[in-house]
Amino acid sequence: MERKVATERQEAFPITYGVLGLLAFWGPLSGYDLKRLFDHVLAPMWSAAHSQIYNELRRMQTLGWVTMERHEQESRPDRKVYQLTQAGQEALAAWQEQPPGVLQLRDELLLKVLFGSFASPDALVKNLQAGITEHEERLLHYRQQLQHLPVRGMQHQPSGRPNPYATEDTEEDAYFSLIGRFAIEFERMYLKWLRETLEYVEQNARS
Amino acid sequence: MERKVATERQEAFPITYGVLGLLAFWGPLSGYDLKRLFDHVLAPMWSAAHSQIYNELRRMQTLGWVTMERHEQESRPDRKVYQLTQAGQEALAAWQEQPPGVLQLRDELLLKVLFGSFASPDALVKNLQAGITEHEERLLHYRQQLQHLPVRGMQHQPSGRPNPYATEDTEEDAYFSLIGRFAIEFERMYLKWLRETLEYVEQNARS
DNA sequence: TATATCATGTAATCGGTTACATGATTAA
DNA sequence: TTAATCATGTAACCGATTACATGATATA
């Protein structure tokens, strides 16, 4: 009879840990910095609007996972610089013990190809060509990024206790290389498929 | 001074055209049928909860893109069977002329690997192994699906006018094969990366 | 006996996006 | 002169998810 109600609100999501991880790795950062890092470093697996990042930072502050320090500036809004706390570091470590959520791919181009029988060959070809251009640019971007791996700034150590799992700086950066390789392999695979599909569609249009 | 307001609400989204395409291809279907088709056919590029599909169907009805027919059943809720209209078919064709939205990948496992330096080797290894199992299953599923391509039911022809772009049945199914191949290539690439990454992490843990 | 499936929906909420807002500096 | 960038946020909305709800039949 009774209705279950008010399931406790979850306090953190992948995007939260994205911010947390960036703060742990690159030390104190502003929302603006984080947005740029998100676009560059997390691009292969998660995206976020800047408004969402500012939101998360506020939420994380109330959770006690970060602290904020206001840096005054002339002729520009103050920089609010956020810094990981001990509790934040612990949350990050605890998250790593949990099984990850399922992968999600959302791709309207694939949807259009799937229902390609309802498109004019012209439209399909145009969309496939645009896709090729876009993914070529992505591939280039990721290749350049792998060669110029972002150098680690001062790492924040809230308690003076070092990250217990990290042995060397080079080892930590290796995870970024692994992700970079994933992104490159993904784009290569996607491009190959796009080119084969385009060839098929063009052949089909000519007949 | 004036504030722009009330930007006209968009009437359709990728998921809308997913439903539309399935209806165009497999003829009259219920929300339940559509959910199952979504999970099987659209799995590689879009996912949807059943509640969302029921919602879309209602919306599409008010747009005049589908019509609903109630099929009574004993001891079970009535089947509401939806059918594409002429306007719906036109909307599907018009959509194909528009450039697609950008691809989005959301993958918490990749995020955990990226910040692997804050994880115990044990946790990372466990998550990677679970990922391998999951993607192996997906690969198997897609491979089986490619061999048993879903047979097309009666196609709905609202105006008696056939799809102007379709030449043969086999040609239309070819697009499904193309998507199937994409899904397989994606899973193969992902698995290869997962195995290499696991090897690296294990090697790193032993030292 | 208990769970899963068939089959359909509603209600509430939430994660994420878009639009609004400001204002200086720098590049085309 | 126009647009882009730096830098920060708020407000509104919306697409999507989760939970609630029902009830028969089939399977373990």
Side-chain angles (χ1 to χ4, degrees):
Chain A
M1 249 349 60
E2 236 142 317
R3 196 182 282 206
K4 213 186 295 177
V5 132
T7 40
E8 232 168 279
R9 202 202 157 156
Q10 254 191 300
E11 59 183 22
F13 316 90
I15 200 192
T16 323
Y17 297 106
V19 173
L20 219 51
L22 290 176
L23 283 177
F25 211 80
W26 275 287
L29 294 166
S30 72
Y32 193 85
D33 298 333
L34 282 161
K35 165 62 176 164
R36 274 191 317 182
L37 277 174
F38 238 90
D39 290 348
H40 286 247
V41 182
L42 301 200
M45 75 281 264
W46 217 276
S47 66
H50 74 273
S51 64
Q52 204 178 354
I53 290 172
Y54 286 116
N55 243 323
E56 282 305 309
L57 285 169
R58 235 179 292 132
R59 257 174 24 78
M60 289 161 72
Q61 207 178 356
T62 69
L63 286 170
W65 292 2
V66 296
T67 54
M68 188 265 281
E69 210 175 308
R70 193 180 290 265
H71 291 220
E72 278 174 48
Q73 292 187 132
E74 307 143 22
S75 79
R76 258 184 221 181
D78 295 354
R79 279 175 68 82
K80 290 185 179 174
V81 177
Y82 293 86
Q83 188 167 343
L84 202 64
T85 65
Q86 176 68 28
Q89 192 134 25
E90 278 161 14
L92 188 60
W95 168 68
Q96 285 281 8
E97 303 292 319
Q98 299 302 123
V102 290
L103 169 149
Q104 275 194 54
L105 185 59
R106 292 188 178 164
D107 190 343
E108 203 175 359
L109 177 55
L110 289 180
L111 198 60
K112 295 199 177 189
V113 172
L114 180 67
F115 295 126
S117 55
F118 303 107
S120 70
D122 241 38
L124 248 192
V125 165
K126 212 179 291 176
N127 285 333
L128 285 168
Q129 281 169 342
I132 287 172
T133 303
E134 199 194 306
H135 285 279
E136 273 173 346
E137 278 165 15
R138 283 179 187 231
L139 179 55
L140 198 71
H141 171 80
Y142 288 132
R143 278 192 168 140
Q144 287 170 344
Q145 201 180 253
L146 237 197
Q147 289 182 328
H148 314 284
L149 262 187
V151 178
R152 198 166 182 196
M154 1 161 216
Q155 194 195 356
H156 168 54
Q157 292 302 350
S159 64
R161 181 155 55 90
N163 177 353
Y165 304 123
T167 53
E168 299 174 45
D169 240 46
T170 47
E171 187 211 318
E172 294 182 299
D173 293 339
Y175 292 109
F176 284 79
S177 305
L178 286 170
I179 294 300
R181 225 167 279 157
F182 174 87
I184 287 168
E185 288 305 311
F186 176 79
E187 297 302 336
R188 272 161 46 83
M189 175 257 129
Y190 202 123
L191 270 170
K192 186 161 172 284
W193 179 84
L194 278 175
R195 291 191 179 115
E196 287 167 5
T197 301
L198 178 60
E199 202 177 333
Y200 170 83
V201 172
E202 276 177 335
Q203 215 150 32
N204 209 275
R206 253 181 269 123
S207 68
Chain B
M1 252 346 62
E2 235 143 315
R3 196 181 282 205
K4 213 186 293 176
V5 132
T7 40
E8 233 166 276
R9 205 210 153 146
Q10 255 191 298
E11 58 183 20
F13 317 89
I15 199 192
T16 323
Y17 297 107
V19 173
L20 219 50
L22 290 176
L23 283 177
F25 211 80
W26 274 288
L29 294 165
S30 71
Y32 193 86
D33 298 333
L34 281 162
K35 166 62 175 163
R36 275 192 314 180
L37 277 173
F38 239 88
D39 289 348
H40 286 247
V41 181
L42 301 202
M45 75 282 264
W46 217 275
S47 67
H50 75 274
S51 64
Q52 204 179 355
I53 290 172
Y54 286 116
N55 244 322
E56 283 304 310
L57 286 169
R58 237 179 291 130
R59 256 173 25 78
M60 289 160 71
Q61 209 179 352
T62 69
L63 286 170
W65 292 2
V66 296
T67 54
M68 188 266 279
E69 211 176 307
R70 192 180 290 267
H71 291 219
E72 279 175 45
Q73 292 187 132
E74 305 144 22
S75 79
R76 256 181 224 185
D78 295 352
R79 279 176 69 82
K80 289 185 179 176
V81 177
Y82 292 87
Q83 188 166 344
L84 202 64
T85 64
Q86 177 68 27
Q89 192 133 25
E90 279 161 14
L92 187 60
W95 168 68
Q96 286 281 8
E97 304 292 318
Q98 300 301 124
V102 290
L103 168 152
Q104 276 194 53
L105 184 60
R106 290 186 180 166
D107 190 343
E108 204 175 358
L109 177 55
L110 289 181
L111 198 60
K112 294 197 177 191
V113 172
L114 179 68
F115 296 125
S117 54
F118 304 106
S120 71
D122 242 38
L124 248 191
V125 164
K126 213 180 287 177
N127 284 333
L128 285 168
Q129 280 169 342
I132 287 172
T133 304
E134 200 194 305
H135 286 279
E136 274 173 345
E137 278 165 15
R138 283 179 189 230
L139 179 56
L140 199 70
H141 170 80
Y142 288 132
R143 278 191 167 140
Q144 286 170 344
Q145 201 181 253
L146 237 197
Q147 290 182 326
H148 314 283
L149 262 187
V151 178
R152 196 167 183 194
M154 0 162 217
Q155 193 196 355
H156 168 51
Q157 292 302 349
S159 63
R161 182 152 58 87
N163 178 354
Y165 305 123
T167 53
E168 298 174 45
D169 240 46
T170 46
E171 188 212 316
E172 294 182 298
D173 292 341
Y175 293 109
F176 284 79
S177 305
L178 286 170
I179 294 300
R181 226 166 279 157
F182 174 88
I184 288 169
E185 288 306 311
F186 175 79
E187 296 302 336
R188 273 161 45 84
M189 175 257 131
Y190 202 123
L191 269 170
K192 187 161 171 283
W193 179 85
L194 278 174
R195 292 192 179 114
E196 286 166 6
T197 301
L198 178 60
E199 201 176 333
Y200 170 83
V201 172
E202 276 177 335
Q203 216 149 32
N204 208 277
R206 253 180 269 122
S207 65

